[in-house]
């Protein structure tokens, strides 16, 4: 091989690699104007799912997330087992627009679905850059739906972008609420209160924290913050963080930031 | 004078003078092809308004054209008349009717002001308009007729209530307006309507509700109790509402007895409990009731009923239920309603549960 040909091949290879990376998910999705397309990436430790109906976030506790909605503590009962694995994101495209995003973990139920285009496994960084851009774009439902897979991603901290979104009054309340919820969840995990054994006293305390959260914000928020910081019962602290996450109050976001930034 | 002419005059004189004058108002209104016609007349005793949409008559509180109820208003501005009616005319047709009680007309160049007219004449004219007009215009016209002084419209309103050719909403409204008259004849009419099985339940229900008044006697309560066993579940709910208006211990005692009666449906018992809570009996009666509620679903509803009282005894009892009720869901409900309370003791109680 002549040096010139070698250089040309090297340049071509470098260009192709850059181009594949640069083209990345956003452009690859844009190439599919209509239909469903999926990609996968590594999930955070502890995250799992049944491949179809629910995922667990790995922050502790046995809560499940169905269709992006967080459910309370539930028993496993006859549910399909929660299986660890990569996060699989299915994007639905219509007329070149991304209209819906769903996240799964666990065994794919219909692996041979020919209607689903599979982009394969992508690096976490690639996937989270795409998801972050989607969130920052703050455009309709997919922006809110991008938060869950971002939170489930391995080896990244979703909190800076979520803190920004939760404080941004320009974005939709739906997106802000979703960010705020996940910040509360992250804060509970950071404090080590997301996973706790409940006794009957905890049941009463949970209800009491909820009752307190129903008070006007000037009464409830300072008291919930106090409970989240100082209460000796993990359940009460976790519940206080949860209801702070629902409060749409900047003092709650300040608390989440303080907890999540703490070393 | 010829026989024909004599009989014509006799017939003309036999027509009520009010009808003739009402025709005169109609003629004067009809004379205006386009624009606004105004008239002013004396209002019924006890009626007052803010000069705009709000009108009060005894316990009745009305925001025209859509809110008709009973209760009290914090608004002190209430002028005792006159009634002011504005009729919009377009191409020789009446296209709108608006009524205000109190206040003054603003200066409007194209308005034709008929000045002060006879209240009964105006009432007759507007009653006629009410049956002809539609929607809000009919509501305004009927209200404007009822507001007029020196005329008893109860028989006319009863006729409207019974007239199947009149829209249901208008028939119900007629029953409401009968309830604003204090005369014994109005009460008698309402009782007839309440028990008339040929009428729709909505009209009968409106009549039952109208019978519930702040000043109702034990005799009135007894009458409502007497019809209660033969009524549908829906009309029974209306009886509870009506009876709850009474401050007689007899009324609250009867409501409590329905709540305790396990032969009644759960819905009926819950409704009786709700109206007992909304009524004028002391909170202590409600507090005592708790020990006689064996079903958790009733005790759960009880926490809501109690929460609506917002007094010290109610908060004390809710805290007691939140701690000691044998059923977990009832305790949770009590706690939920305490969470809605502004009472500092409720908040302190909740905090204590969390810290404990």
């Amino acid at each position: 091989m002549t040096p010139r040909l070698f250089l040309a091949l090297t340049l071509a290879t470098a260009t192709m690699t850059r181009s594949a990376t640069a083209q990345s998910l956003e452009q690859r999705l844009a190439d599919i104007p209509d239909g469903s397309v999926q990609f996968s990436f590594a999930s955070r430790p502890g995250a799992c799912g049944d491949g179809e109906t629910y995922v667990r976030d790995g922050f502790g506790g046995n809560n499940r997330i169905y269709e992006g909605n967080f459910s309370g503590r539930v028993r496993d009962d006859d549910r399909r087992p929660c299986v660890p694995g990569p996060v699989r994101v299915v994007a639905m495209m219509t007329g070149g627009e991304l209209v819906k995003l769903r996240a799964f973990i666990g065994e794919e139920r219909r692996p041979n679905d020919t209607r689903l285009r599979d982009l394969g496994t992508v690096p976490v960084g690639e996937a989270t850059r795409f998801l972050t851009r989607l969130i920052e774009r703050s455009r309709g439902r997919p922006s809110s739906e991008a938060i869950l897979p971002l939170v489930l991603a391995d080896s990244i901290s979703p909190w800076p972008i979520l803190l920004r979104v939760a404080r941004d009054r320009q974005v939709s309340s739906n997106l802000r609420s979703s960010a705020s919820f996940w910040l509360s969840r992250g804060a509970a995990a950071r404090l080590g209160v997301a996973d706790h054994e409940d006794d009957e006293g905890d049941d009463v305390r949970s209800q009491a924290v909820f009752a307190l959260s129903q008070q006007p914000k000037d009464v409830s928020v300072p008291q919930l913050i106090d409970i989240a910081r100082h209460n000796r019962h993990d359940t009460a602290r976790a519940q206080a963080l949860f209801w702070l996450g629902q409060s749409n109050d900047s003092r709650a976001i300040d608390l989440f930031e303080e907890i999540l930034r703490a070393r | 004078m010829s026989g024909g002419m004599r009989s014509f005059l006799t017939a003309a004189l036999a027509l009520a003078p009010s009808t003739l004058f009402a025709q005169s108002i109609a003629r004067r209104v009809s004379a205006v092809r386009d624009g606004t016609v105004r008239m002013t007349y004396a209002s019924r005793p006890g009626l007052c308004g803010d000069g705009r949409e709000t009108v009060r008559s005894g316990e009745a509180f009305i925001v025209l054209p859509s809110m008709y109820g009973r209760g009290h208003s914090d608004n002190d501005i209430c002028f005792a008349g006159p009634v002011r009616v504005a009729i919009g005319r377009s191409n020789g047709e009446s296209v709108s009717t608006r009524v205000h009680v109190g206040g003054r007309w603003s200066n409007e160049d194209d308005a034709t002001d008929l000045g002060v007219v006879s209240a009964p004449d105006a009432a007759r004219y507007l009653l006629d308009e009410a049956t002809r007009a539609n929607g809000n215009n009919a509501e305004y016209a009927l209200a404007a007729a009822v507001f007029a002084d020196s005329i008893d419209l109860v028989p006319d309103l009863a006729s409207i209530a019974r007239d199947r050719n009149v829209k249901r909403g208008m028939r119900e409204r007629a029953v409401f307006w009968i309830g604003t008259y204090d005369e014994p004849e109005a009460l008698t009419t309402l009782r007839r309507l309440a028990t008339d099985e040929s009428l729709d339940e909505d009209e009968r229900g409106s009549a039952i509700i109208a019978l519930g008044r702040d000043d109702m006697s034990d005799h009135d309560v007894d009458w409502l109790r007497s019809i209660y066993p033969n009524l549908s579940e829906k009309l029974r709910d209306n009886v509870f509402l009506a009876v709850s208006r009474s401050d007689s211990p007899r009324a609250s005692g009867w409501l409590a007895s329905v709540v305790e009666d396990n032969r009644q449906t759960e819905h009926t018992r819950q409704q009786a409990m709700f109206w007992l809570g909304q009524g004028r009996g002391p909170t202590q009666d409600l507090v005592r009731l708790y020990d006689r509620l064996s079903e958790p679903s009733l005790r759960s509803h009880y926490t809501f009923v109690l929460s609506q009282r917002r007094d010290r005894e109610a908060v004390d009892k809710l805290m007691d239920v939140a701690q000691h009720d044998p059923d977990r869901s009832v305790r949770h409900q009590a706690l939920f309603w305490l969470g809605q309370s502004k009472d500092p003791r409720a908040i302190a109680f909740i905090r204590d549960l969390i810290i404990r």
Side-chain angles (χ1 to χ4, degrees):
Chain A
M1 189 183 293
T2 64
R4 183 171 290 183
L5 181 55
F6 174 76
L7 181 63
L9 279 174
T10 308
L11 280 172
T13 310
T15 309
M16 279 172 69
T17 311
R18 257 206 319 278
S19 141
T21 307
Q23 196 185 24
S24 71
L25 281 171
E26 211 156 7
Q27 285 163 315
R28 289 162 79 188
L29 286 173
D31 289 342
I32 302 159
D34 292 289
S36 296
V37 56
Q38 72 172 11
F39 58 90
S40 305
F41 56 92
S43 66
R44 52 179 295 112
C48 61
D50 72 346
E52 189 172 31
T53 61
Y54 75 89
V55 294
R56 281 192 181 143
D57 56 22
F59 288 123
N62 59 354
N63 313 278
R64 293 197 185 102
I65 301 130
Y66 296 92
E67 290 257 356
N69 296 315
F70 195 77
S71 79
R73 280 158 285 170
V74 285
R75 293 192 184 141
D76 274 326
D77 297 333
D78 55 352
R79 294 278 169 196
R80 278 198 290 262
C82 203
V83 179
V87 180
R88 184 164 50 87
V89 173
V90 177
M92 272 147 256
M93 308 293 294
T94 299
E97 282 283 314
L98 200 168
V99 293
K100 188 171 166 60
L101 209 63
R102 285 198 66 188
F104 305 92
I105 299 177
E107 192 187 339
E108 201 175 338
R109 295 287 146 187
R110 278 167 288 188
N112 300 319
D113 188 347
T114 51
R115 293 166 300 176
L116 187 65
R117 294 275 297 274
D118 194 351
L119 303 182
T121 302
V122 300
V124 170
E126 176 66 36
T128 55
R129 268 194 300 278
F130 165 72
L131 294 167
T132 301
R133 275 197 297 273
L134 202 52
I135 294 165
E136 283 173 335
R137 207 175 294 156
S138 176
R139 201 180 292 160
R141 198 163 127 180
S143 291
S144 299
E145 290 169 336
I147 293 181
L148 173 62
L150 181 74
V151 169
L152 294 173
D154 188 32
S155 315
I156 63 118
S157 171
W159 313 129
I161 167 73
L162 295 187
L163 283 165
R164 270 205 313 279
V165 168
R167 287 203 169 101
D168 188 350
R169 296 277 146 188
Q170 304 298 315
V171 306
S172 72
S173 61
N174 207 15
L175 184 58
R176 238 177 25 243
S177 300
S178 185
S180 179
F181 162 75
W182 282 108
L183 288 167
S184 75
R185 189 84 184 118
R190 179 63 64 88
L191 292 177
V193 298
D195 194 5
H196 46 82
E197 291 294 321
D198 285 355
D199 59 22
E200 196 174 332
D202 286 328
D203 180 46
V204 173
R205 273 186 283 276
S206 291
Q207 284 300 316
V209 174
F210 165 63
L212 191 61
S213 75
Q214 300 303 295
Q215 288 285 318
K217 275 193 205 170
D218 57 339
V219 175
S220 65
V221 170
Q223 300 212 35
L224 289 170
I225 289 174
D226 184 52
I227 293 164
R229 284 188 196 281
H230 306 301
N231 197 280
R232 63 194 172 94
H233 302 285
D234 286 353
T235 305
R237 298 179 78 187
Q239 283 291 309
L241 287 166
F242 174 83
W243 289 111
L244 283 167
Q246 306 292 307
S247 69
N248 191 26
D249 190 289
S250 61
R251 290 167 291 183
I253 308 300
D254 292 343
L255 175 71
F256 299 151
E257 181 169 26
E258 181 191 315
I259 294 168
L260 290 163
R261 285 200 196 284
R263 296 280 169 194
Chain B
M1 190 183 291
S2 71
M5 175 64 95
R6 193 164 40 240
S7 24
F8 169 76
L9 277 177
T10 310
L13 287 170
L15 281 171
S18 177
T19 310
L20 289 174
F21 283 115
Q23 285 173 357
S24 148
I25 290 178
R27 267 200 304 276
R28 292 168 76 188
V29 172
S30 298
V32 177
R33 184 173 166 76
D34 293 290
T36 303
V37 183
R38 295 166 173 170
M39 66 182 95
T40 306
Y41 50 89
S43 60
R44 273 165 59 187
L47 188 89
C48 68
D50 68 352
R52 295 191 295 270
E53 298 83 17
T54 306
V55 180
R56 281 190 263 165
S57 174
E59 299 162 30
F61 183 82
I62 304 113
V63 183
L64 292 165
S66 53
M67 201 193 106
Y68 297 79
R70 284 160 184 271
H72 303 278
S73 160
D74 295 334
N75 188 358
D76 290 334
I77 301 167
C78 208
F79 304 105
V83 183
R84 297 183 295 118
V85 172
I87 296 166
R89 303 276 298 165
S90 176
N91 284 325
E93 298 274 333
S94 291
V95 291
S96 72
T97 303
R98 294 293 179 267
V99 60
H100 314 280
V101 175
R104 286 184 301 188
W105 294 117
S106 61
N107 292 327
E108 195 182 322
D109 292 336
D110 73 340
T112 304
D113 198 338
L114 304 187
V116 177
V117 299
S118 147
D121 296 348
R124 286 271 158 237
Y125 166 73
L126 289 160
L127 198 64
D128 198 33
E129 283 297 301
T131 54
R132 267 197 296 232
N134 287 312
N136 287 347
N137 290 331
E139 296 276 6
Y140 278 113
L142 187 64
V146 171
F147 294 162
D149 190 29
S150 309
I151 182 167
D152 175 14
L153 291 182
V154 170
D156 302 272
L157 293 168
S159 296
I160 292 173
R162 292 178 186 284
D163 188 346
R164 295 263 163 198
N165 294 318
V166 175
K167 284 186 181 163
R168 178 186 288 181
M170 199 65 170
R171 297 205 303 265
E172 278 178 52
R173 194 70 73 227
V175 177
F176 172 85
W177 288 122
I178 295 170
T180 64
Y181 287 86
D182 287 332
E183 289 72 15
E185 186 208 347
L187 283 181
T188 307
T189 303
L190 287 173
R191 285 185 178 187
R192 282 199 194 114
L193 293 168
T195 51
D196 187 340
E197 292 181 4
S198 70
L199 295 178
D200 291 346
E201 283 214 325
D202 288 338
E203 286 148 52
R204 293 179 68 191
S206 298
I208 290 168
I209 291 166
L211 283 163
R213 297 166 178 230
D214 284 355
D215 59 353
M216 68 195 297
S217 65
D218 278 350
H219 179 66
D220 296 327
V221 173
D222 289 345
W223 186 84
L224 285 165
R225 285 180 59 178
S226 74
I227 65 166
Y228 171 83
N230 299 318
L231 298 177
S232 68
E233 198 164 64
K234 184 178 172 188
L235 291 177
R236 286 180 174 193
D237 293 351
N238 296 144
V239 169
F240 298 147
L241 188 164
V243 168
S244 75
R245 306 283 304 176
S246 165
D247 55 7
S248 163
R250 205 146 145 178
S252 55
W254 177 66
L255 287 169
S257 74
V258 175
V259 178
E260 292 168 34
D261 184 354
N262 57 19
R263 290 166 304 175
Q264 306 281 344
T265 66
E266 186 169 306
H267 170 86
T268 296
R269 295 172 75 186
Q270 286 190 349
Q271 285 292 314
M273 195 197 301
F274 174 77
W275 288 112
L276 178 64
Q278 294 290 307
R280 298 163 153 222
T283 301
Q284 198 53 45
D285 285 356
L286 270 177
V287 169
R288 273 196 291 269
L289 188 65
Y290 174 76
D291 291 333
R292 300 196 287 274
L293 302 174
S294 53
E295 296 86 347
S297 57
L298 282 177
R299 296 203 303 278
S300 198
H301 185 65
Y302 174 85
T303 61
F304 160 64
V305 171
L306 203 57
S307 74
Q308 301 303 297
R309 279 294 173 119
R310 301 169 208 281
D311 57 26
R312 191 179 179 85
E313 282 172 303
V315 170
D316 284 343
K317 187 64 191 172
L318 273 175
M319 292 193 290
D320 175 49
V321 175
Q323 286 181 102
H324 302 118
D325 192 280
D327 190 276
R328 177 174 172 263
S329 69
V330 177
R331 294 197 302 273
H332 284 181
Q333 276 299 114
L335 207 44
F336 172 82
W337 289 114
L338 283 167
Q340 306 292 312
S341 167
K342 290 192 172 70
D343 190 319
R345 290 174 317 126
I347 298 162
F349 170 78
I350 293 167
R351 265 197 71 86
D352 186 51
L353 285 180
I354 299 165
I355 294 165
R356 193 185 292 171

